[in-house]
Amino acid sequence: MTTLYFILVGVLMGNIAVGLIRILRGPTAADRMLAAELFGTVTVAIILLLAIVMEKPVYYDVALVFALLSALAVVAFVTRGWPNPEPGEQDDGRR
Amino acid sequence: MAVFDLILGLLLVVLVWKSLSVSDLFGAVISFMAFGLLMAVAWVRLEAPDIALAEAAIGSGLTGALLFSTLGRLPHSEARQPVVSRTVRNGPGYWMTTGFWWVLAILLSIAFLFSLLDLQTPGLGGLLQERLPESGVLNPVTAVLLNFRSLDTVMEIAVLLLAVVVAWSMGTVVWPVKRTLPSPLLPGFVRLLTPFFLLVSFSLLWRGSHAPGGAFPSGAVLAAAGILLLLAGKTTRICPRFMFWLRWILAVGLLVFVFAGVSLMVAGYGFLVYPEQWAGALILLIEVSAGVSIGAMLMALYIGGEPDIHSA
């Protein structure tokens, strides 16, 4: 079973590496933000798997706090960071 | 597992490099947030759950919200501009400054490596485990923070309060009132999520005595709940009475801590030297007041100035 978890952690790290391309290249702000949110979700999954592999249930708490706080970042982004789009110009915010 | 650690370290270095060198502010903020997320995984790998919790709450969540709001306040053209303009980048001053910091960084790394060589291998962990029963709590980190080195924690809370005082003295800010929201989804989402934030905050506070948690992560989650309400436009009207209580809430952590210390001194024990039978209760009292205060202080720092009563 542990081998399976290790493989899953490896796949998730691959996800982060692919997401990194979106974070670094964009092109729009929303792409980058979504990639950062993907990082958040993947990180929660990795921490949960590590908690099982390392047999430390304490890390479930860390994953819980992570899952809650990643909501804050995306709400801050839509309300404050994202420039209110003009009518007719829906996409392509700041790069 | 070594491969995993290697990839993790590599990604961290790439993200730090990008958040420092990327040419626009938004990219830098996103890279910094992603860095915070992966850093927490690194702390999990280093088996430091307390730091991982703090990093998860403050490093990625609160700082991300703070930086996004800062970006939102900047004029659009300014946020687009490269951090360092091209003319500055080619000048001799730029190279001298970067050269200076590079040399300093390399020297510091060498000094760090040398200090690693004569590190005392057992450290203080064994001593701490030995004395843990005297502290009144079961979690070694809480024992250090609130018993053995409690003076440091008093100072930390004092510094945070001082930061709020300085931010308030800079001027008033318009208290955010109800405004048009980008999505009708947001109020419902926040209404659903706020109870969970409060629950997690209080559970972290309570767990602090026997498991990783405690006042700082708990306060950070509390502040996150407040900021979420603020962003969703769910604010109340403020009045002088509200401000009066807010000041007390901001100060209560430090007041309780110092009051406990001084009364112990009067009782003949010394500043913040807890008698063994009361240690657990005192730590709980201090931790609850500090957690509430830290939540209020972090939120006050996010708002960034004294709320203006006349604006509401």
Side-chain angles (χ1 to χ4, degrees), chain A residues 6 9-10 12-14 16-18 20 22-24 27-44 46-51 53-54 56-85 89 92-95, chain B residues 1 4 7-8 11 14-15 18 22 24 26-28 30-31 33-34 36-38 40-41 43-49 52-53 55-58 60-62 64-66 68-69 71-74 76 79-80 176 179 181-182 186 189-190 193 196-197 200 204 207 211-212 220-221 224 227-228 230-232 302:
Chain A
F6 276 122
V9 168
L12 290 171
M13 279 309 268
I16 284 190
V18 174
L20 195 63
R22 273 296 131 216
I23 283 200
L24 297 183
T28 66
D31 292 322
R32 290 176 160 182
M33 189 61 218
L34 280 178
E37 283 300 298
L38 173 78
F39 267 45
T41 317
V42 169
T43 309
V44 169
I46 289 180
I47 291 178
L48 285 176
L49 285 173
L50 285 181
V53 170
M54 291 157 76
K56 290 269 174 72
V58 169
Y59 295 125
Y60 295 147
D61 277 7
V62 181
L64 182 67
V65 171
F66 247 122
L68 281 178
L69 268 287
S70 64
L72 178 66
V74 78
V75 168
F77 171 72
V78 275
T79 52
R80 297 292 160 91
W82 181 245
N84 282 336
E89 185 208 358
D92 199 61
R94 105 177 33 124
R95 289 186 56 142
Chain B
M1 226 49 206
F4 173 78
I7 296 173
L8 190 61
L11 284 175
V14 168
L15 280 170
K18 276 293 158 192
V22 93
D24 64 323
F26 186 81
I30 286 277
S31 304
M33 273 179 57
L37 289 168
L38 288 188
V41 180
W43 287 121
V44 167
R45 276 298 295 144
L46 291 170
E47 308 206 11
L53 266 178
E55 182 72 42
I58 297 172
S60 58
L62 283 181
L66 187 66
F68 275 135
S69 302
L71 272 186
R73 278 190 197 180
L74 288 177
H76 195 169
R80 253 175 195 278
R179 53 200 191 97
L181 291 168
L186 202 51
F189 177 68
V190 169
L193 219 54
F196 284 106
F197 271 88
V200 168
L204 282 176
R207 288 175 58 102
V221 173
I227 293 171
L228 208 56
L230 213 66
L231 288 173
Y302 170 80

Side-chain angles (χ1 to χ4, degrees), chain B residues 202-291:
Chain B
F202 287 117
S203 98
L204 282 176
L205 195 59
W206 180 250
R207 288 175 58 102
S209 63
H210 56 90
F216 274 91
S218 155
V221 173
L222 203 61
I227 293 171
L228 208 56
L229 287 175
L230 213 66
L231 288 173
K234 299 231 167 283
T235 52
T236 54
R237 286 175 55 82
I238 51 169
C239 52
R241 182 189 283 277
F242 174 85
M243 291 301 296
F244 171 79
W245 286 112
L246 183 62
R247 281 165 212 268
W248 276 105
I249 291 172
L250 285 172
V252 72
L254 190 62
L255 287 178
V256 167
F257 220 143
V258 171
F259 184 73
V262 170
S263 26
L264 284 171
M265 225 160 99
V266 171
Y269 287 102
F271 190 69
L272 287 173
V273 179
Y274 310 126
E276 217 170 299
Q277 68 272 26
W278 294 347
L282 272 174
I283 286 177
L284 186 66
L285 176 74
I286 289 170
E287 199 158 32
V288 168
S289 55

